[in-house]
């Protein structure tokens, strides 16, 4: 049995997409409660770009290799409780890192059995985005059936997942913002959102207030940060929850921001992350997804894939993600040389 594997490495430790290359690295060993998985495919996420450039706070337990979501076959199990997993099982899951490789070792707490109805590519595109959407909606945003919800960056992979979860779990209305009419049409016509607003050409907060007769939205999932801060407060309903997951619009608030709405509307604005959470927290999200697995199996939930690259074309995959022109997931397949 070999002790090394092919994995994506970064020349100099950090750098641009062109610094990514295939290297031979030590093959991981499964610790207690872990499964060693031979990877068939892995998904890209925006955090990978930041980590590649040395701008992401990597958890201490994470290996240096990029990648947090994958699909593959269990090759070996560590000691201890490995739930119902066994060697040979087809699985997909979430890890703290190390998915840009031929093999990964990760906790069984964040693994799921891959349904036969899902391809390796589809399964690899589920964990990070669907876990994140579930976390933002349920554990942080406290979404309940009958509430309305707004997903910013509507055509992003997380929001694509979240819109489908919102529809399945009976949101009263599902709103999105996006950068083009094409993306809005995709969210409304393909995913089932109620309405969408082009943030480049519309005052989306004002339009939302009109659409809701001044009431606003119960749950807002935000990736933008500072440049949407005031508008989120304006668009939120009484007792609304605003969940912040990223800062694509900056971290410094402009002068003149009116925070009186926090009191007047009894708002909660809460930031959250997933990768820094312990495995018991992540297992709660895994279990939410497990409850929804029949919808993946019957086709109600769809994994939208923008493009698939071979393992060796990882630099091209990163460049595509950097272009901000995608709808859905970018996936890499891991084949033999």
């Amino acid at each position: 049995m070999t002790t090394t594997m092919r994995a994506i490495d970064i020349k100099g430790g950090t750098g641009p997409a062109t610094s990514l290359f295939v290297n031979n690295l030590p093959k991981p060993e499964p610790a207690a409660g872990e499964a060693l998985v031979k990877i068939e495919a892995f998904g890209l996420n925006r955090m990978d770009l930041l980590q590649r450039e040395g701008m992401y706070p990597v958890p201490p337990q994470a290996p240096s290799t990029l990648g947090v979501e994958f699909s593959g076959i269990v090759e070996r199990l560590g000691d201890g409780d490995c739930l119902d997993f066994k060697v040979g099982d087809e699985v997909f899951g979430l890890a703290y890192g190390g998915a840009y490789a031929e093999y990964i070792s990760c906790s069984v707490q964040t693994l799921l059995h891959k349904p036969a109805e899902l391809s390796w590519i589809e399964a690899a595109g589920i964990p990070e985005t669907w876990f994140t959407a579930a976390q933002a909606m349920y554990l942080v945003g406290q979404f309940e059936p009958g509430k309305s919800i707004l997903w910013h960056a509507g055509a992003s992979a997380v929001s694509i997942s979240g819109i489908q979860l919102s529809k399945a779990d009976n949101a009263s209305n599902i709103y999105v913002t996006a950068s083009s009419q094409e993306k809005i049409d995709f969210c409304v016509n393909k995913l089932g959102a109620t309405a969408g607003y082009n943030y480049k050409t519309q005052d989306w907060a004002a339009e939302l207030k009109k659409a809701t007769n001044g009431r606003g939205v119960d749950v807002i999932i935000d990736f933008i940060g500072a440049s949407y801060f005031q508008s989120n407060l304006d668009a939120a309903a009484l007792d609304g929850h605003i969940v912040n997951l990223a800062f694509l619009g900056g971290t410094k608030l402009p002068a003149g921001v009116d925070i009186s709405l926090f009191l007047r509307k009894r708002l909660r604005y809460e930031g959250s992350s997933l990768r820094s959470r312990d495995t018991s927290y992540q297992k709660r999200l895994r279990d939410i997804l497990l409850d929804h697995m029949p919808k993946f199996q019957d086709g109600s939930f769809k994994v939208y894939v923008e493009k698939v690259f071979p393992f060796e074309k990882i630099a091209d995959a990163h460049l595509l993600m950097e272009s901000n022109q995608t709808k859905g997931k970018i996936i890499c397949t891991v084949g033999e040389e």
Side-chain angles (χ1 to χ4, degrees):
M1 186 176 292
T2 60
T3 59
T4 62
M5 64 176 180
R6 293 189 307 148
I8 302 300
D9 208 346
I10 308 170
K11 295 173 185 175
T14 61
T18 52
S19 65
L20 297 170
F21 73 106
V22 179
N23 198 4
N24 283 315
L25 296 176
K27 184 177 175 181
E29 290 286 330
E34 290 187 346
L36 177 69
V37 177
K38 184 180 187 300
I39 294 178
E40 296 288 336
F42 61 82
L44 273 65
N45 293 283
R46 197 156 292 275
M47 76 176 83
D48 302 345
L49 308 184
L50 296 172
Q51 184 178 338
R52 189 199 72 217
E53 295 173 351
M55 298 169 58
Y56 189 92
V58 181
Q61 65 270 53
S64 59
T65 304
L66 300 174
V68 298
E69 61 181 350
F70 60 91
S71 61
I73 301 170
V74 175
E75 183 172 280
R76 195 146 48 93
L77 293 166
D79 296 332
D81 183 8
C82 289
L83 302 180
D84 62 343
F85 294 99
K86 61 185 185 299
V87 172
D89 281 351
E90 296 184 350
V91 298
F92 63 106
L94 188 71
Y96 288 109
Y100 284 23
E102 291 183 311
Y103 292 90
I104 190 170
S105 188
C106 80
S107 172
V108 296
Q109 305 287 327
T110 52
L111 275 185
L112 295 113
H113 291 282
K114 183 183 82 65
E117 294 86 352
L118 289 175
S119 69
W120 293 119
I121 289 167
E122 290 170 323
I126 292 174
E128 171 63 22
T129 49
W130 288 80
F131 277 39
T132 298
Q135 176 195 27
M137 275 182 66
Y138 303 110
L139 300 194
V140 184
Q142 297 183 342
F143 173 85
E144 296 174 347
K147 287 188 174 183
S148 58
I149 190 165
L150 164 64
W151 291 91
H152 286 306
S156 68
V158 171
S159 291
I160 287 172
S161 308
I163 294 165
Q164 294 181 78
L165 283 168
S166 303
K167 184 179 179 183
D169 290 349
N170 300 309
S172 60
N173 287 289
I174 306 164
Y175 301 103
V176 300
T177 61
S179 62
S180 69
Q181 190 61 45
E182 178 195 2
K183 290 182 176 180
I184 291 168
D185 290 344
F186 169 74
C187 292
V188 173
N189 299 331
K190 294 285 189 182
L191 304 179
T194 307
Y197 307 98
N198 187 328
Y199 64 81
K200 291 185 175 181
T201 61
Q202 294 176 284
D203 181 344
W204 59 264
E207 293 298 324
L208 263 175
K209 290 178 78 172
K210 286 182 196 174
T212 59
N213 295 315
R215 182 183 180 278
V217 184
D218 295 311
V219 181
I220 297 175
I221 312 299
D222 175 56
F223 308 88
I224 312 303
S227 62
Y228 277 16
F229 189 85
Q230 184 70 69
S231 295
N232 281 332
L233 299 184
D234 293 340
L238 189 69
D239 294 315
H241 289 177
I242 302 165
V243 182
N244 177 252
L245 299 178
F247 300 112
L248 298 177
T251 59
K252 305 295 184 184
L253 294 179
V257 168
D258 179 8
I259 64 171
S260 66
L261 292 171
F262 276 106
L263 290 182
R264 286 160 45 197
K265 293 186 177 182
R266 302 191 297 265
L267 300 179
R268 191 181 84 183
Y269 188 107
E270 184 172 350
S272 190
S273 62
L274 176 57
R275 197 174 179 185
S276 61
R277 304 283 191 171
D278 62 28
T279 52
S280 62
Y281 180 96
Q282 293 184 3
K283 185 179 183 299
R284 292 170 64 191
L285 299 171
R286 176 254 195 196
D287 291 345
I288 290 173
L289 209 56
L290 188 61
D291 290 341
H292 287 83
M293 198 56 61
K295 293 190 176 296
F296 287 103
Q297 293 173 276
D298 68 16
S300 301
F301 283 174
K302 298 185 184 302
V303 182
Y304 289 87
V305 176
E306 176 73 24
K307 191 167 182 179
V308 179
F309 291 85
F311 181 65
E312 297 80 7
K313 298 290 186 181
I314 186 64
D316 292 340
H318 270 232
L319 289 171
L320 177 60
M321 177 164 275
E322 287 175 350
S323 75
N324 294 320
Q325 299 300 309
T326 59
K327 295 190 297 289
K329 295 295 294 187
I330 299 171
I331 305 293
C332 284
T333 55
V334 184
E336 299 296 329
E337 285 185 295

